[in-house]
Amino acid sequence: MWRFSSDAAQAKLLSSQFNGIRFSSKLKAILPFTSPLFTRQVNTLSNKFPDIVALFTAKPSPPPKEHLTTKAMILRNELVQEASDSVRVCKILDMNSDSLNQPHPCGSVLLELLNQLDSWPSLALQVFNWRRKSNGSDAFTPVNAYEYSKGIKLAGRSRNIDLAVEIFKEAANKGIMTTSTYNALMGAFMFNGLADRCQTLFVDMKKDTTCHPSIATYNILISVFGRLMLIDYMEATLQEINQLDLSPNVHTYNYLIAGYIAAWMWDDMEKVFQMLKTSSVKPNVKTYLLMIRGYAHAGNLEKMEEIYSLVRDHVNKKEIPLIRTMICAYCRSSEADRVKRIEELLKLIPEEDYRPWLNVLLIKLYAQEDWLEEMEIAINEAFEHRTHVITAGIMRCIIATYFRCNALEKLEIFVRRAEIAGWRICRSLYHCKLVMYGSGKQFNEMNNVLEEMNGVNLAENKKTLWIMYKAYLSCGQRSMVLKILGQMFKHGYEVPLEAFPS
């Protein structure tokens, strides 16, 4: 067993061991890392070997790109808080002008800031305009092509086409005309639905000998033609891409798929998707989302569910509109378990994300399935949100469910609430009540229904009289039968042959 009579002896031994660049396992056992002596010894060694110790104690500096991102994030948060005050925004930018203009090998804080402000296009545009006004200052480098392209895109996203054109012309006057600036303005026109101006700019670009269309240029054209369902033009653009030997990217395929979906050309949509799968380009999340939408509209539930399984987590968290589209597909289908699948998808939609059309669609679904309780819950939700049902087909679907479920009292309550809420009032509502009261031989209530009809300006028609004729005839009410027949003669309606046996 090693023993030491003093701390000095231990320090002497430890120093000799480190000088020999070797460590004694027995010494480690004797000197635990938590002992005061060990702390003093490490401090002594730090003085002797400052370079070696620094390798283990110094914090690594963040990568340059991460440093830019952090700076831009801090500035972004400050700007977002003051977004409503343009004067304050400019002051913040002025105070940070040095860091914004400082060049870096992997970019600049300004460009990173503009990228991080994508969700606030108006604020990002303020930042770019500040950059333009500072362009003449000696402290700032001239605005480059990438920055001009970014500014044009921001103006387009802010729905300020005049500004986008102004920025484009400013770049042209300074001799900064690149494919990216053309693409940016074409994209701005596309975003704002200005297809003619987009195509005109494309023609001008082809005349410009200093710039040549890229695959991004043709992608914009395909998107424009697809949105307008100009499928022939879209396919001609694809043919030109092939002739120029340009390599389509995933965006090319996505815009083609979107165009065919807009035109409801399901076979062509499928062909493009299969082309993509067999090419060197791999589908991305956007591709799968488009295919889910396409299969949903086409009623191809099997393939819709297959693609959904690939991006389930993404869709469940971020694609609520797509979930509603899938619900619509199930509502139109005749799948045995469609209600179960719809209920599972409904759980993913936040309660505050209410859509009147979806509410009415669920009313119809539950009515078709004779799920009376669920139907009434959906009806109550519609009344609470003041949703108006104005389609006669939906109303007939509702009352047919009440009839099949023999829920006369609930039907009475529904009719009264529908009248007050301004829903579509049709004779079928009252005819259903007449049939149900007649089958129960409740003739006084039948007469009350006729008064209700008069109260909403619905006159008796041929069907009304036939229902009453059948009800009275089944109960042997001969006098009332003759009275109804008289009304039929009066209005010129067809009389039942059985009323006058030969």
Side-chain angles (χ1 to χ4, degrees), residues 70-136:
T70 304
K71 273 191 172 182
M73 187 180 301
I74 295 170
L75 187 54
R76 179 203 67 189
N77 294 339
E78 191 175 354
L79 290 172
V80 169
Q81 291 179 355
E82 305 291 343
S84 58
D85 188 348
S86 58
V87 176
R88 177 61 183 158
V89 167
C90 289
K91 286 183 178 179
I92 294 172
L93 294 171
D94 289 337
M95 288 187 294
N96 292 272
S97 59
D98 291 341
S99 62
L100 286 170
N101 190 47
Q102 185 178 359
H104 293 269
C106 54
S108 70
V109 176
L110 177 67
L111 290 178
E112 181 62 30
L113 176 62
L114 291 175
N115 290 332
Q116 291 189 20
L117 288 174
D118 272 347
S119 300
W120 299 272
S122 297
L123 181 58
L125 193 57
Q126 287 187 58
V127 175
F128 177 75
N129 283 330
W130 172 85
R131 171 74 173 98
R132 288 173 66 201
K133 292 175 182 178
S134 306
N135 195 24

Side-chain angles (χ1 to χ4, degrees), residues 108 110-111 114 124-125 127-136 141-157 160 163-188:
S108 70
L110 177 67
L111 290 178
L114 291 175
L125 193 57
V127 175
F128 177 75
N129 283 330
W130 172 85
R131 171 74 173 98
R132 288 173 66 201
K133 292 175 182 178
S134 306
N135 195 24
T141 57
V143 179
N144 58 36
Y146 182 84
E147 290 173 326
Y148 273 122
S149 300
K150 190 71 177 178
I152 294 168
K153 290 177 184 177
L154 291 171
R157 288 189 61 202
N160 194 339
L163 179 59
V165 174
E166 178 187 326
I167 296 171
F168 179 81
K169 289 180 178 179
E170 179 181 310
N173 292 335
K174 293 183 178 181
I176 306 175
M177 292 297 291
T178 64
T179 300
S180 63
T181 54
Y182 274 107
N183 288 347
L185 188 56
M186 285 179 63

Side-chain angles (χ1 to χ4, degrees), residues 336-375:
D337 60 343
R338 63 174 183 162
V339 178
K340 177 184 176 182
R341 298 186 183 185
I342 289 172
E343 293 285 344
E344 291 173 353
L345 292 174
L346 285 173
K347 294 176 183 177
L348 303 172
I349 302 178
E351 291 184 6
E352 62 274 10
D353 197 4
Y354 175 81
R355 292 295 185 276
W357 63 265
L358 181 59
N359 190 176
V360 175
L361 195 62
L362 292 174
I363 291 173
K364 181 180 179 181
L365 170 73
Y366 294 133
Q368 291 172 338
E369 298 290 332
D370 285 342
W371 285 28
L372 182 60
E373 184 177 350
E374 287 76 7
M375 182 189 76

Side-chain angles (χ1 to χ4, degrees), residues 318-465:
K318 300 182 179 180
E319 300 293 336
I320 301 302
L322 189 57
I323 291 176
R324 288 195 287 263
T325 301
M326 295 172 65
I327 291 174
C328 290
Y330 283 121
C331 287
R332 294 194 304 268
S333 74
S334 56
E335 294 285 328
D337 60 343
R338 63 174 183 162
V339 178
K340 177 184 176 182
R341 298 186 183 185
I342 289 172
E343 293 285 344
E344 291 173 353
L345 292 174
L346 285 173
K347 294 176 183 177
L348 303 172
I349 302 178
E351 291 184 6
E352 62 274 10
D353 197 4
Y354 175 81
R355 292 295 185 276
W357 63 265
L358 181 59
N359 190 176
V360 175
L361 195 62
L362 292 174
I363 291 173
K364 181 180 179 181
L365 170 73
Y366 294 133
Q368 291 172 338
E369 298 290 332
D370 285 342
W371 285 28
L372 182 60
E373 184 177 350
E374 287 76 7
M375 182 189 76
E376 291 212 304
I377 291 173
I379 289 173
N380 289 334
E381 186 178 10
F383 283 136
E384 290 171 3
H385 286 89
R386 298 183 179 180
T387 297
H388 296 273
V389 176
I390 58 174
T391 306
I394 301 293
M395 298 299 287
R396 294 191 187 102
C397 200
I398 293 171
I399 60 178
T401 301
Y402 282 120
F403 177 78
R404 290 191 295 267
C405 296
N406 196 27
L408 180 55
E409 292 182 4
K410 292 184 176 182
L411 174 60
E412 280 280 13
I413 295 172
F414 168 72
V415 173
R416 285 198 296 270
R417 295 182 71 186
E419 289 173 347
I420 296 171
W423 286 27
R424 174 68 180 269
I425 301 301
C426 52
R427 286 186 178 84
S428 299
L429 289 170
Y430 304 97
H431 287 170
C432 183
K433 291 167 67 174
L434 284 173
V435 171
M436 296 179 78
Y437 280 129
S439 61
K441 300 180 181 180
Q442 298 174 273
F443 301 119
N444 291 333
E445 284 76 5
M446 285 178 62
N447 290 325
N448 292 336
V449 172
L450 295 177
E451 293 177 3
E452 291 175 17
M453 290 179 64
N454 291 329
V456 292
N457 297 322
L458 289 177
E460 302 169 4
N461 64 1
K462 177 181 177 181
K463 191 170 184 178
T464 311
L465 297 176

